[in-house]
Amino acid sequence: MALKIDLENCIGCGSCVSACPFGALALNADGKAEVNEACRMCGSCVDACPVGAITLEKEAAAGTDDLASYKGLWVYAEQRDGALHEVVFELLGKGRELASAMGCPLSAVLLGHGVEGLADALFAHGADQVFLVDDPALEKYSSEPYAEAMCALIEKHRPAAILAGATTAGRSFIPRVAVREHTGLTADCTGLAINADGLLEQTRPAFGGNIMAAILCPDHRPQMATVRPKVFAPAPAEEGRKGVLVREELSLAPPVVQVVKTVRALENELNVTQADIVVSGGRGLGKSENFALLRELADALGGAAIGASRAAVDAEWISAFHQVGQTGKTVRPKLYIACGISGQIQHLVGMNSAETIVAINKDPDAPIFDVADIGIVGDLFEVVPALIRALKQG
Amino acid sequence: MHFVVCIKQVPNTTKVRIDPETNTLVRAGVESIVNPFDENALEMALVLKEQNPGSKVTAVCMGPPQAADALKECVARGVDDVILLCDRAVAGSDTWATSYAIAQAVKSLPEPADLLLFGKQAIDGDTAQVGPGVAEHLGLPCITFVRAAKIAEPGRIALERVWEDGWEEIVSPLPAAVTVLKEANVPRLPSLRGKMAAKKLQIPLTTAEAIHADPAKIGLKASPTRVVRIFSPPQKTGGEKWTGLSGEEAGTKLAAALQDRKII
Ligand SMILES: Cc1cc2nc3c(=O)[nH]c(=O)nc-3n(C[C@H](O)[C@H](O)[C@H](O)COP(=O)(O)OP(=O)(O)OC[C@H]3O[C@@H](n4cnc5c(N)ncnc54)[C@H](O)[C@@H]3O)c2cc1C
Ligand SMILES: Cc1cc2nc3c(=O)[nH]c(=O)nc-3n(C[C@H](O)[C@H](O)[C@H](O)COP(=O)(O)OP(=O)(O)OC[C@H]3O[C@@H](n4cnc5c(N)ncnc54)[C@H](O)[C@@H]3O)c2cc1C
């Protein structure tokens, strides 16, 4: 890109000089506008010029200008109703490792209203700096003001890379941010590393988990990725660890999208993504009522979340909030017990990083056995009740 | 009202594998289908049309000439108009460049769109980034992961959007964009009349120039992301497999094994 000033037309009024946020314009000895290397092609002067003497010429296939001026690694500290999403701690864990490799500080971006109190937890888990935008427009999540706030921070502080959780919110507004900042965004990453050129190498599954792709964003900044929850280990907490809190005032416009009502469907139940043990049922359960058997097993295990295959969800035996897999949740519990689930790839991608996988299936050739640490070929209606009895005795 | 649905033609994913010799995707023999989530977006548009008499549904697709089949499928189900953006210049687009091209195609429609509908994600690329990306290029609000939509009052749409742990009722001004979940509806089958109409249809190929796409913003060269390598995911190998035990034996042995391994 290049900024062109038509000296014939320039009237030397100085409007551009005062409009430039970067001090990149001045009037020269002839009283005409002149641009220097501080210019960031933001276009403010183009709009300010009363005679249309300034133009921004876009050249083909240009990357971000002045790549080297983008520094630091950011993590998006997603919060809802004042609670940080667990993925934030995972991002801080991985982020610390990447920041060391990049030789830069690790910062967290906290957006919301009345959420300043969360900064301490971010410092304790490894953030050197927290950028806070506290604004009434961010009280309830909606993509537009969240994107607005993130873009304003990026344009001001120019990070080299940003990681956000591949959560409902992350996958909603981060793509807007990447488009507006004209940079690359890798979706739902399961691997992150710094390569020999200092670039963020992002690995992600595509084609429903059948293939993996390694992706770079060489010429645009920031390099951006959404990261699948439950893939990286959370950063340990170091109580009392301190960092720098940077408050940014933005006076955001109120959201155009109105949230009328919020319903929490899993009020009294463990969420599959958070539980240490997940007991999952598939088509082999046969009917809705048989989920009671799994709930009984969950109790006998001292508390576990109930998961399901899509077949069980499609049959309306259980709500979609319990679905594990490509189009459901990704879980990484200590123990995953799959009952009557065949183990199609779309299910496996959601649970195959569980620490221990137990499968109970009457078909000895079911693909679930390929990933199971303990596979039991048998009828779940015999094995599960016996297991419950044994657990209660033991 | 004008409802515009974005349709991607995708391979039937579960069959896609990597050729270990050439390290490229094996696509031969894989049938192409309308992206499953886009069928739900389409169904939502068709229902909105029925609920709001005098409305029209347009399907927009970017893809190779054979993607015309995907659009014919849409016509068979009741879509009024289609546009197939097909141009070598858009090949290799990542989600940034894809969303720019689709935004330009939407802008080029003779009637402005009141609502843009996308699938939740494409089952091949799997990014879920094109919907919000197009909305950003057009400066529209975008509500993702929607399972219900209704025109509440003129110029406003009432939506249900799903979160990890629940859902929300939302009202958005129009025009707007939504991405649609599978649970939103059950897509209708093509009607006989629709099939006839689709069969006769000749779908012209629209070029990038025709939608006034800036050549610097389309295709591989305009794509910030670079796929540098593809490979098969590491296979987790199975552990023990217990066969021939009675239910009682297996249950008892499992409880003991979980305790031995200190899992519980
Ligand atoms: C784009 C796309 C996305 C998808 N996303 C997901 C997703 O997110 N999650 C998901 O789970 N699926 C998903 N699927 C669907 C997936 O392909 C499978 O269809 C689904 O996982 C099958 O569920 P299931 O294993 O319960 O059923 P089935 O494949 O029918 O398996 C049932 C199993 O139960 C066993 N069984 C029956 N009776 C008994 C008994 N009494 N005791 C023991 N075992 C018994 C059978 O041997 C069989 O193996 C997706 C598919 C597509 C195309
Ligand atoms: C292995 C692999 C990994 C990739 N990873 C990334 C990545 O991380 N980041 C990135 O920017 N690009 C990536 N790409 C490129 C990306 O797949 C393409 O840009 C693709 O055109 C759009 O992305 P998607 O398939 O993920 O669509 P999604 O964003 O998942 O599609 C969402 C919805 O947008 C609409 N839509 C999408 N494509 C079209 C179309 N062609 N015509 C009409 N409507 C459409 C549909 O309604 C669809 O349901 C990758 C490509 C490959 C082969």
Side-chain angles (χ1 to χ4, degrees):
Chain A
M1 288 210 295
L3 193 73
K4 285 264 160 68
I5 301 173
D6 181 350
L7 297 179
E8 296 286 334
N9 280 338
C10 175
I11 51 170
C13 68
S15 304
C16 57
V17 178
S18 42
C20 179
F22 306 109
L25 286 153
L27 295 183
N28 66 14
D30 299 331
K32 303 275 182 179
E34 206 171 24
V35 61
N36 66 34
E37 60 281 6
C39 173
R40 293 187 186 169
M41 315 289 167
C42 70
S44 302
C45 55
V46 177
D47 299 334
C49 179
V51 294
I54 309 182
T55 47
L56 204 50
E57 280 189 1
K58 299 200 167 133
E59 288 150 18
T64 307
D65 292 298
D66 200 7
L67 287 190
S69 71
Y70 286 76
K71 294 198 178 78
L73 175 65
W74 288 9
V75 156
Y76 171 56
E78 176 174 346
Q79 61 82 26
R80 249 182 104 209
D81 299 333
L84 287 167
H85 194 291
E86 281 177 275
V87 74
V88 174
F89 303 108
E90 298 157 21
L91 297 177
L92 286 169
K94 190 68 191 179
R96 170 50 62 203
E97 186 190 315
L98 297 171
S100 310
M102 292 162 76
C104 71
L106 175 64
S107 307
V109 174
L110 182 57
L111 309 178
H113 189 42
V115 294
E116 187 168 330
L118 298 174
D120 283 341
L122 298 170
F123 293 134
H125 288 85
D128 300 313
Q129 212 173 45
V130 171
F131 293 106
L132 169 70
V133 181
D134 193 306
D135 192 296
L138 302 172
E139 165 109 52
K140 286 236 176 246
Y141 174 84
S142 78
S143 294
E144 295 68 33
Y146 271 75
E148 187 74 41
M150 184 62 103
C151 287
L153 292 178
I154 292 172
E155 285 158 29
K156 180 160 176 197
H157 299 284
R158 307 180 142 220
I162 305 181
L163 311 178
T167 56
T168 299
R171 296 190 84 172
S172 300
F173 86 101
I174 298 292
R176 292 197 82 120
V177 172
V179 163
R180 197 175 311 173
E181 299 305 317
H182 198 167
T183 191
L185 173 61
T186 304
D188 206 17
C189 297
T190 54
L192 294 165
I194 302 299
N195 77 3
D197 301 323
L199 293 171
L200 181 64
E201 184 170 296
Q202 309 153 80
T203 308
R204 65 172 296 246
F207 290 85
N210 279 299
I211 71 153
M212 303 293 292
I215 294 178
L216 295 177
C217 176
D219 305 320
H220 295 74
R221 293 294 177 276
Q223 306 162 81
M224 294 178 58
T226 58
V227 179
R228 184 174 287 192
K230 292 279 167 185
V231 171
F232 296 115
E238 190 187 312
E239 288 315 321
R241 189 178 175 281
K242 293 268 177 291
V244 181
L245 181 66
V246 183
R247 292 184 191 82
E248 297 284 353
E249 298 288 335
L250 295 177
S251 315
L252 297 167
V256 290
V257 170
Q258 239 69 55
V259 177
V260 184
K261 185 172 147 195
T262 305
V263 182
R264 293 284 164 102
L266 294 172
E267 206 91 69
N268 303 312
E269 272 187 279
L270 268 175
N271 187 333
V272 278
T273 59
Q274 283 158 5
D276 281 341
I277 304 180
V278 176
V279 178
S280 253
R283 201 194 308 272
L285 272 182
K287 56 181 179 192
S288 173
E289 292 72 26
N290 288 336
F291 267 97
L293 181 63
L294 299 192
R295 294 209 162 87
E296 211 183 311
L297 173 57
D299 287 342
L301 286 161
I306 303 296
S309 74
R310 180 153 132 189
V313 171
D314 283 353
E316 298 185 4
W317 298 342
I318 190 159
S319 88
F321 295 100
H322 297 269
Q323 184 176 319
V324 172
Q326 184 196 341
T327 43
K329 310 279 171 59
T330 303
V331 300
R332 198 194 188 190
K334 292 205 173 71
L335 175 62
Y336 188 90
I337 306 183
C339 306
I341 294 178
S342 61
Q344 301 306 313
I345 181 77
Q346 296 91 348
H347 188 79
L348 298 185
V349 294
M351 45 64 79
N352 63 9
S353 53
E355 275 174 41
T356 301
I357 297 171
V358 173
I360 305 168
N361 195 305
K362 60 182 185 189
D363 171 8
D365 299 323
I368 190 80
F369 289 125
D370 298 340
V371 301
D373 298 285
I374 300 177
I376 300 174
V377 181
D379 189 330
L380 77 93
F381 297 108
E382 292 170 14
V383 179
V384 174
L387 174 60
I388 295 170
R389 280 193 296 276
L391 287 169
K392 283 187 176 161
Q393 280 165 16
Chain B
M1 299 183 69
H2 190 198
F3 303 104
V4 176
V5 194
C6 295
I7 300 287
K8 187 178 186 191
Q9 191 184 43
V10 296
N12 210 341
T13 60
T14 51
K15 297 177 195 155
V16 175
R17 291 282 179 275
I18 293 176
D19 180 333
E21 301 276 296
T22 59
N23 219 17
T24 52
L25 289 176
V26 182
R27 297 210 194 195
V30 180
E31 63 167 333
S32 290
I33 53 171
V34 171
N35 179 41
F37 296 104
D38 300 357
E39 294 189 309
N40 300 105
L42 174 59
E43 180 62 28
M44 185 176 274
L46 293 170
V47 170
L48 285 168
K49 174 186 159 176
E50 286 158 8
Q51 290 170 346
N52 298 275
S55 298
K56 166 179 171 175
V57 177
T58 301
V60 175
C61 176
M62 175 176 124
Q66 37 312 1
D69 292 341
L71 288 175
K72 287 189 173 185
E73 176 80 27
C74 299
V75 170
R77 296 189 198 194
V79 158
D80 302 291
D81 214 345
V82 297
I83 167 166
L84 175 55
L85 171 60
C86 177
D87 193 321
R88 273 176 195 285
V90 298
S93 293
D94 73 354
T95 60
W96 196 99
T98 299
S99 25
Y100 170 77
I102 293 176
Q104 287 300 117
V106 170
K107 270 198 217 167
S108 78
L109 297 174
E111 264 174 76
D114 293 296
L115 183 68
L116 283 177
L117 301 100
F118 299 86
K120 175 199 156 194
Q121 71 194 73
I123 62 167
D124 52 352
D126 270 346
T127 68
Q129 290 174 184
V130 171
V134 173
E136 176 63 32
H137 278 293
L138 295 172
L140 300 179
C142 180
I143 300 90
T144 44
F145 309 113
V146 166
R147 68 170 185 192
K150 205 173 169 179
I151 304 299
E153 52 188 283
R156 295 175 83 72
I157 189 162
L159 302 161
E160 270 178 42
R161 83 87 58 98
V162 174
W163 283 91
E164 281 96 342
D165 61 353
W167 67 89
E168 244 167 26
E169 289 176 17
I170 284 176
V171 176
S172 170
L174 294 173
V178 294
T179 75
V180 181
L181 294 174
K182 182 176 188 296
E183 62 194 274
N185 49 47
V186 179
R188 70 192 62 194
L189 294 171
S191 68
L192 198 60
R193 232 180 76 208
K195 277 190 188 161
M196 301 292 285
K199 210 166 172 183
K200 277 187 280 178
L201 193 67
Q202 284 287 344
I203 299 177
L205 304 183
T206 301
T207 61
E209 201 185 337
I211 57 167
H212 307 292
D214 177 346
K217 292 186 177 173
I218 51 174
L220 187 62
K221 66 177 186 321
S223 297
T225 60
R226 290 273 176 279
V227 176
V228 289
R229 202 155 33 90
I230 58 169
F231 54 99
S232 299
Q235 292 294 319
K236 187 172 171 180
T237 47
E240 301 170 21
K241 192 158 157 188
W242 305 346
T243 43
L245 300 181
S246 74
E248 198 59 45
E249 289 163 344
T252 316
K253 188 171 168 187
L254 179 56
L258 294 177
Q259 274 145 8
D260 281 355
R261 298 182 188 202
K262 303 212 179 332
I263 296 167
I264 53 170

